[in-house]
Each structure stands twice: as C-alpha cells, then as structure tokens.
Amino acid sequence: MSESYSHIAELHRTLPAFSPYVPATALPYLAFFLLLGTFILGFYFTTLPKDTIPIREVSVASAASILAGFGVVSLFCSSGVNV
C-alpha cells in the first residue's frame, strides 16, 4: 500500500459520520408545505389580471417553480428515492 492510501484511509476512519442539515423525519412535512405553497401560488397565478409588463406574473411563477422544485425533491427523498 502506498503512503497516500494509508493517509486517506486514516482520514476516513477519523472523520465524523455524515449528518444532513434537514432531518429525514421532517422531509414529508417539508414536502407537503412546499407543494401546498406551489398549488396556492398556481391558483393565485390564474387569478392575476393581464398586465402589459408581466412583472407580477413572472415573480409568482418563479416562486411557484422554486417551491415545486424543492417540494418534489423532498418528496422523493422522503419516499426513499434519494436524488
């Protein structure tokens, strides 16, 4: 064995185990509230009046898209599909 391998193996043994920032037990609730916000913003988007410069529409759609993205990822992770 080379010296670099033994050094890396020693680091592997001494480093602490991985711990996620968000506990796995909170993922279903997080997914529910993020996706609920997505559907509420989607409904709100359909009630907006048509403007010539759609700044409000773009901001609502962007917020809904971000919520949907994180909601779907947390839903997948809570069901065991680690993405």
Side-chain angles (χ1 to χ4, degrees):
M1 283 195 220
S2 67
E3 178 137 348
S4 63
Y5 176 78
S6 60
H7 177 67
I8 292 173
E10 181 63 30
L11 280 176
H12 180 67
R13 280 193 297 273
T14 59
L15 287 175
F18 173 76
S19 64
Y21 293 122
V22 178
T25 56
L27 287 175
Y29 303 108
L30 182 64
F32 175 76
F33 287 114
L34 289 173
L35 293 175
L36 179 67
T38 300
F39 289 117
I40 289 171
L41 285 176
F43 175 73
Y44 177 68
F45 182 80
T46 62
T47 62
L48 288 174
K50 302 293 181 205
D51 294 332
T52 56
I53 301 175
I55 295 172
R56 207 171 4 159
E57 294 173 2
V58 170
S59 62
V60 169
S62 297
S65 176
I66 290 169
L67 288 177
F70 284 110
V72 167
V73 168
S74 60
L75 181 67
F76 280 172
C77 289
S78 69
S79 66
V81 181
N82 294 321
V83 293

